[in-house]
Amino acid sequence: TDSVCILTLKHCKRAHICKPLWPPNRNGTMEWFSTRIMAKTHQNQIYNLELHDAYTELHSQVEGLDDGEAKKRLQKYGPNKLSVEKTSLWRQIIEPFTSYFVIVIIVAALISVFEQQWFEAIIISIIILINAVIYYFQQFSVSRVLKTLSEQDKQYVKVIRDGAEVKLASELIVPGDMVHLSEGMKVPADGRIVDANHLQCDESVLTGESLPVHKHAGAISGKKAIYDQDNMMFKGTYIKGGTGLLLVTQTGNNTQLGSINTLASQADKGKTPIERKIDDLTKKLLIGIIIASSIVFVVALYRGIELDEAIKFTLSLTVSAVPEGLPVAMTLVLLFSARRMAKQKALVKKISAMETLGAVTLIATDKTGTITQNKLAVSDTYTPLKDTSAFHEAVRASLNGDEDSAEDPLDVILHNSIARIKIPKSWKLEKEFPFNQQLRLSGTVWKHSNGYVLHVKGAPEQILYHVKKGKNHSDAEAALKSFTGKGFRTIGFAHKSIKKVPERLDHKALASLELDGLVAFSDQLRKQVHTSIDEAHAA
């Protein structure tokens, strides 16, 4: 009631904040509450919201957008493609004439015209034009290749519009669209997952993480970094397994990949070292020419030469002191270097950057997929069991699916590493528990002749949390610390005997596990990395 609300405000320590919105009537009460609630909701990220709130936030629904609304949003947000700020045509035209040195040459050409020295004027003009033509040709070639590369980013996706499934070019997707996700496809836009069926995504393009990320549709509380937003998908990443439905939240340059694209396009566009050196040389040359010309002009007048003859003589000396051939010579050398780079499949957008490449003193590179193969392999193991084959048998029993149907890439790796291990024929698989995002575990139940055995695998800290305390527990913690210190991705394995098959994995079902061991994975180095590093040092 109004009286309760007024009483609350009267004793509120922050009542002064509320006063401007608080006329003493019911409408004022609703205004204050709606303002406070909307402000709190606005602070939430899309991954914090429940599904119905996410639909409301994007003014969408399960049946998708209608065509009219989609067209409006396409006009508002633009095509769903990455773009960079384009250089205007006039800027591209005058670009080869903007350096200090070329300006000096142009001045020299104008002086030659003023003196009616047509041969010199024509030669200097031809040099300036050749330099410009080389620049235009290089820019045209690069633009054509870049356009071809951007065409490869186009794809067709299944979208729900007006309750019906349609196939659209990815460029036509808008915020609020419902997109079907399937194994092998590249995610066309950023979005919130509204339905997930064993969905896994390779996000190495954004995070550098080799392992696929298990995705779900539930809300996530708190503020999360990209790599912890497990109910979100991001443009440019790949679906490694499963299916799902995506509510598009951002498109084009507003996506996470788009922000990287924008950042790269806004990188330092300053002059290269050689351009700065040439500009510095030009300034010094100009100062020298001005001083020399002034002295010559004064001496000419002192010796009694007519004023107009003294001026012509001084201007001729000025023109002859300018090395007109230097820009073309420098441009040709850099162009030949760019051509050599093209043969190595390296595209040079700005030919003056060739000299910058030669001035590199530090190479910073990412690891995943660059110096490594982006393929995990078993690197080390720990087990408290005396019999190694018993540990391998426990690992094999904990895996979901078989070699041909395993959905988790780690299961595939483990299948291959213990391919010789077979499950005893007396065992019968009763139930499989897919990976649980909250527990960070998966499991299987096998029926033995004397009962049931639950095998689980997952995050080692979760396994150790449910394992009986003792010496093995301490040794396993030490082994885990050693593995993580080496940068290995580690998975734990455990089991327990049970009387009946549990309906689901929970803390009760996982209580008092017996540890089987740990398996450590690492991303293997590429074979040629050592040679490449040696070559970089030698350079």
Side-chain angles (χ1 to χ4, degrees):
T1 64
D2 287 350
S3 58
V4 174
C5 293
I6 293 169
L7 180 65
T8 304
L9 283 173
K10 183 177 180 181
H11 296 283
C12 178
K13 293 180 180 178
R14 302 178 66 188
H16 62 283
I17 299 175
C18 311
K19 284 179 182 177
L21 291 172
W22 190 259
N25 55 54
R26 184 174 301 274
N27 290 336
T29 307
M30 293 308 296
E31 180 187 352
W32 181 80
F33 275 113
S34 63
T35 303
R36 299 295 292 175
I37 291 170
M38 287 299 291
K40 184 175 180 181
T41 304
H42 185 69
Q43 294 173 356
N44 286 333
Q45 300 292 333
I46 193 72
Y47 55 80
N48 297 137
L49 304 179
E50 296 295 341
L51 292 181
H52 60 277
D53 293 327
Y55 284 121
T56 303
E57 182 76 14
L58 289 158
H59 304 287
S60 185
Q61 54 189 343
V62 179
E63 292 79 15
L65 304 172
D66 59 62
D67 288 336
E69 179 63 23
K71 289 178 181 178
K72 290 180 183 178
R73 297 192 184 190
L74 186 62
Q75 289 181 343
K76 179 179 179 180
Y77 298 104
N80 176 35
K81 62 180 181 179
L82 302 181
S83 59
V84 296
E85 185 180 352
K86 293 184 178 180
T87 306
S88 58
L89 181 60
W90 69 268
R91 180 80 178 267
Q92 294 179 40
I93 293 173
I94 68 170
E95 186 71 25
F97 308 104
T98 55
S99 70
Y100 289 143
F101 202 87
V102 174
I103 291 173
V104 169
I105 296 175
I106 292 173
V107 171
L110 293 175
I111 292 173
S112 298
V113 172
F114 175 76
E115 291 188 327
Q116 295 185 351
Q117 295 179 359
W118 305 113
F119 180 77
E120 288 82 356
I122 292 171
I123 293 298
I124 296 174
S125 300
I126 290 174
I127 290 172
I128 295 171
L129 289 174
I130 290 174
N131 190 60
V133 168
I134 292 173
Y135 172 85
Y136 295 143
F137 176 75
Q138 175 70 9
Q139 291 301 304
F140 172 76
S141 300
V142 171
S143 299
R144 185 180 59 185
V145 176
L146 289 176
K147 186 177 180 181
T148 303
L149 291 174
S150 64
E151 292 291 325
Q152 296 179 3
D153 190 47
K154 292 183 179 179
Q155 60 175 327
Y156 286 87
V157 294
K158 294 179 181 178
V159 181
I160 300 176
R161 291 271 177 93
D162 271 335
E165 185 180 285
V166 295
K167 203 169 185 179
L168 291 177
S170 58
E171 289 186 0
L172 301 179
I173 293 174
V174 297
D177 263 332
M178 303 294 295
V179 178
H180 282 287
L181 302 175
S182 58
E183 184 175 340
M185 75 177 287
K186 182 163 70 171
V187 180
D190 288 6
R192 167 67 190 275
I193 300 170
V194 297
D195 183 48
N197 181 25
H198 303 298
L199 195 59
Q200 298 180 67
C201 185
D202 178 359
E203 296 184 342
S204 58
V205 67
L206 290 178
T207 66
E209 178 57 59
S210 304
L211 280 177
V213 180
H214 293 268
K215 297 290 185 175
H216 62 88
I220 302 174
S221 60
K223 188 175 181 179
K224 301 292 184 181
I226 291 176
Y227 46 82
D228 286 328
Q229 295 175 17
D230 295 333
N231 60 1
M232 298 289 292
M233 285 287 190
F234 303 103
K235 182 178 176 67
T237 58
Y238 288 87
I239 308 297
K240 294 291 287 186
T243 58
L245 195 61
L246 184 73
L247 171 62
V248 176
T249 58
Q250 300 288 354
T251 58
N253 276 16
N254 293 323
T255 62
Q256 293 293 335
L257 191 63
S259 65
I260 296 175
N261 181 64
T262 302
L263 185 65
S265 66
Q266 294 174 349
D268 182 20
K269 296 181 180 178
K271 296 186 176 181
T272 63
I274 196 168
E275 289 174 328
R276 290 196 294 268
K277 290 174 185 176
I278 293 297
D279 286 347
D280 184 58
L281 173 64
T282 304
K283 291 176 184 177
K284 292 177 181 178
L285 186 64
L286 279 174
I287 293 171
I289 290 173
I290 291 171
I291 292 173
S293 299
S294 300
I295 294 173
V296 168
F297 181 69
V298 171
V299 170
L301 291 177
Y302 178 76
R303 295 185 63 183
I305 299 176
E306 294 293 330
L307 178 61
D308 56 341
E309 289 296 324
I311 292 174
K312 288 183 179 181
F313 180 73
T314 304
L315 291 177
S316 298
L317 176 66
T318 302
V319 173
S320 64
V322 177
E324 295 90 350
L326 182 58
V328 174
M330 187 175 69
T331 301
L332 287 173
V333 168
L334 295 176
L335 183 62
F336 290 144
S337 299
R339 292 298 178 193
R340 289 183 62 191
M341 290 292 290
K343 292 179 180 179
Q344 301 296 324
K345 302 189 186 324
L347 185 62
V348 180
K349 188 175 182 181
K350 188 177 181 182
I351 59 173
S352 57
M354 291 303 308
E355 192 270 341
T356 307
L357 184 62
V360 167
T361 57
L362 175 68
I363 298 174
T365 175
D366 72 326
K367 172 182 71 69
T368 305
T370 304
I371 64 174
T372 67
Q373 301 175 26
N374 199 15
K375 294 179 181 178
L376 290 177
V378 176
S379 292
D380 205 348
T381 60
Y382 162 79
T383 178
L385 306 178
K386 295 181 180 180
D387 187 359
T388 306
S389 61
F391 172 54
H392 290 162
E393 190 176 80
V395 172
R396 175 64 185 82
S398 69
L399 302 181
N400 299 88
D402 54 31
E403 295 90 335
D404 299 323
S405 63
E407 295 182 349
D408 194 321
L410 287 180
D411 283 358
V412 176
I413 296 170
L414 290 168
H415 272 299
N416 294 333
S417 66
I418 54 172
R420 68 183 187 282
I421 302 297
K422 303 297 180 183
I423 295 295
K425 293 182 179 181
S426 59
W427 295 15
K428 182 183 177 184
L429 181 63
E430 288 290 324
K431 192 169 185 177
E432 288 191 0
F433 296 100
F435 185 81
N436 185 304
Q437 190 67 36
Q438 281 70 39
L439 295 173
R440 297 171 67 194
L441 298 170
S442 65
T444 58
V445 177
W446 293 85
K447 184 178 182 180
H448 293 208
S449 56
N450 56 348
Y452 299 96
V453 177
L454 170 65
H455 288 270
V456 295
K457 76 174 192 307
E461 59 272 15
Q462 290 295 323
I463 294 289
L464 293 176
Y465 176 78
H466 295 288
V467 165
K468 299 175 184 177
K469 299 294 187 289
K471 184 179 183 302
N472 290 342
H473 194 280
S474 302
D475 291 344
E477 286 183 334
L480 176 59
K481 186 175 181 180
S482 173
F483 291 161
T484 55
K486 296 175 182 177
F488 293 163
R489 171 59 65 93
T490 308
I491 291 187
F493 299 84
H495 75 278
K496 66 178 291 188
S497 297
I498 52 178
K499 294 181 179 179
K500 63 177 183 177
V501 179
E503 293 183 5
R504 63 181 183 276
L505 280 184
D506 54 24
H507 291 287
K508 183 178 179 181
L510 296 169
S512 301
L513 291 174
E514 295 182 25
L515 181 66
D516 291 316
L518 306 172
V519 174
F521 301 85
S522 68
D523 194 356
Q524 303 299 304
L525 289 175
R526 293 181 183 272
K527 292 180 180 179
Q528 66 270 34
V529 165
H530 186 276
T531 305
S532 298
I533 293 175
D534 285 344
E535 288 178 353
H537 281 300

